[in-house]
Structure formats: C-alpha cells, structure tokens
C-alpha cells in the first residue's frame, strides 16, 4: 500500500498510561507529512521532467535520424552530381578533341590545296616564262632577219647608187 502525506497526517496512535506525548507525536507527524508531501511533489515533478526529457530525447533521435538520412541522401546526390559532372566534362573534352581534329584535317586539306595551287602557279609561271622567252627569241630572229634584209637592201641600194652615178 502506498503511503501518502494525508495518511501520515491522519494516523492516530493509541495512548497508554505513561505513553508518548501526543503533541510531540503530532508535531513530528506533521513535519514528516510535510516532508513526505514535498518529496512526493518533487518526485512527480522529476517524473514529469524525466518523461519530457525522454520525449525530447526521442524527438532528437528522430531528428538525428532524419538529418542522417538527409545527409546521406545529400552525399549520394553530391556523388551523383560529381559523376555526372565528370561524365559531362569527358564528353565536352571528347567533343572539343573531335572538333579540333576536324579543324586540323580541314586545315591540312586546305594547306594541301594551297600547295597544289602554288605548284600549278609555279608551273604556269615557268610555262609563261618559256613562252615569253620563245616569243622574244622569235622576235629577235625576226628583227635579226629584218636587219639583215635592211642591210642587204641597203647594200643593194648602194650598189644601185654606185651604178646610177657611174652611168
């Protein structure tokens, strides 16, 4: 049976001859009841506080679990983002290398075309130089022949003049 402060206060003792002083017993019982009542209040308060603290601890544990799950999820998301970023970076590098290779091939083709064109132009220049040299040589021969004819004609003219003056 649980003893309460009221039980202590209401407790009555039988008196006997030459027994205890009832006032002293009552004073002690009142003090004991007051102390017991204080202890019961303190016990109820501490029990309530312990219940609240347990509830808070449970709430904190739930929050901690939620935070851990959120942290793990965030870590997974970050890891996935990192993997995706690396894949995307690899893709960008591959595309850049591909474009660079295409540009290099285009530049090499263009260089080959230009070199071929330069070679053709050099051949044309040489051909033109040969043609011009031939034309110049032809004209020199024609001039030479013309000068020889003029000299021959002049020689004949002089012969005619000499003949005309001799007559």
């Amino acid at each position: 049976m649980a003893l309460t402060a009221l039980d202590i206060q209401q407790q009555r003792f039988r008196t006997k001859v030459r027994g205890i002083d009832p006032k002293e017993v009552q004073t002690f019982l009142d003090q004991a009841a007051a102390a017991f009542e204080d202890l019961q209040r303190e016990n109820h308060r501490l029990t309530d506080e312990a219940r609240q603290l347990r509830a808070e601890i449970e709430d904190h544990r739930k929050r901690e679990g939620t935070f851990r799950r959120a942290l793990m999820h965030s870590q997974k998301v970050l890891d996935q983002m990192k993997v995706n970023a690396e894949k995307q970076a690899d893709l960008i590098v591959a595309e850049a290398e591909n474009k660079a290779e295409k540009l290099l091939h285009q530049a090499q083709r263009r260089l080959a075309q230009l070199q071929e064109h330069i070679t053709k132009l050099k051949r044309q220049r040489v051909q033109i130089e040969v043609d011009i040299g031939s034309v110049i040589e032809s004209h020199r021969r024609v001039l030479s022949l013309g000068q020889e004819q003029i000299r021959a004609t002049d020689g004949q003219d002089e012969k005619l003049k000499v003949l005309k003056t001799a007559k």
Side-chain angles (χ1 to χ4, degrees):
M1 162 176 153
L3 188 64
T4 66
L6 185 63
D7 293 336
I8 294 173
Q9 284 179 336
Q10 291 178 349
Q11 178 66 43
R12 299 288 175 239
F13 297 96
R14 291 180 256 145
T15 54
K16 294 191 178 183
V17 177
R18 291 194 175 192
I20 6 183
D21 181 11
K23 283 186 182 181
E24 195 175 313
V25 169
Q26 191 57 46
T27 302
F28 175 75
L29 288 175
D30 288 344
Q31 288 174 352
F36 191 75
E37 190 174 345
D38 287 345
L39 287 174
Q40 278 183 325
R41 267 188 254 130
E42 180 68 13
N43 186 26
H44 285 305
R45 187 187 67 74
L46 290 174
T47 302
D48 289 344
E49 187 177 324
R51 195 175 305 124
Q52 283 181 326
L53 289 174
R54 279 189 206 109
E56 286 180 25
I57 287 172
E58 186 60 32
D59 186 47
H60 288 300
R61 284 184 181 152
K62 286 179 184 176
R63 286 183 188 171
E64 180 184 8
T66 303
F67 285 137
R68 282 186 188 193
R69 284 189 299 277
L71 184 62
M72 287 174 28
H73 180 68
S74 296
Q75 186 63 43
K76 285 179 184 178
V77 168
L78 285 174
D79 291 343
Q80 187 62 41
M81 287 174 69
K82 183 178 177 183
V83 167
N84 289 343
E86 287 173 356
K87 286 180 182 178
Q88 192 172 15
D90 290 343
L91 227 128
I92 290 171
V93 167
E95 284 180 20
E97 287 174 348
N98 192 13
K99 284 182 181 179
E101 193 172 317
K102 284 181 182 178
L103 287 173
L104 182 62
H105 287 312
Q106 286 175 350
Q108 288 172 341
R109 276 195 306 269
R110 182 70 178 138
L111 178 63
Q113 289 172 347
L114 289 173
Q115 286 175 338
E116 186 178 315
H117 188 65
I118 288 171
T119 304
K120 285 180 184 178
L121 289 174
K122 284 181 180 179
R123 274 191 240 128
Q124 286 177 354
R125 188 185 97 216
V126 168
Q127 185 62 41
I128 289 171
E129 286 174 352
V130 167
D131 290 347
I132 289 174
S134 295
V135 168
I136 289 173
E137 188 58 37
S138 297
H139 287 306
R140 238 186 245 147
R141 275 190 244 131
V142 167
L143 286 173
S144 233
L145 285 173
Q147 286 175 350
E148 284 177 23
Q149 285 177 349
I150 290 173
R151 278 188 223 132
T153 310
D154 283 346
Q156 285 177 355
D157 285 343
E158 285 217 19
K159 284 182 191 176
L160 284 175
K161 278 187 194 178
V162 173
L163 284 175
K164 281 188 186 179
T165 47
K167 286 191 197 181

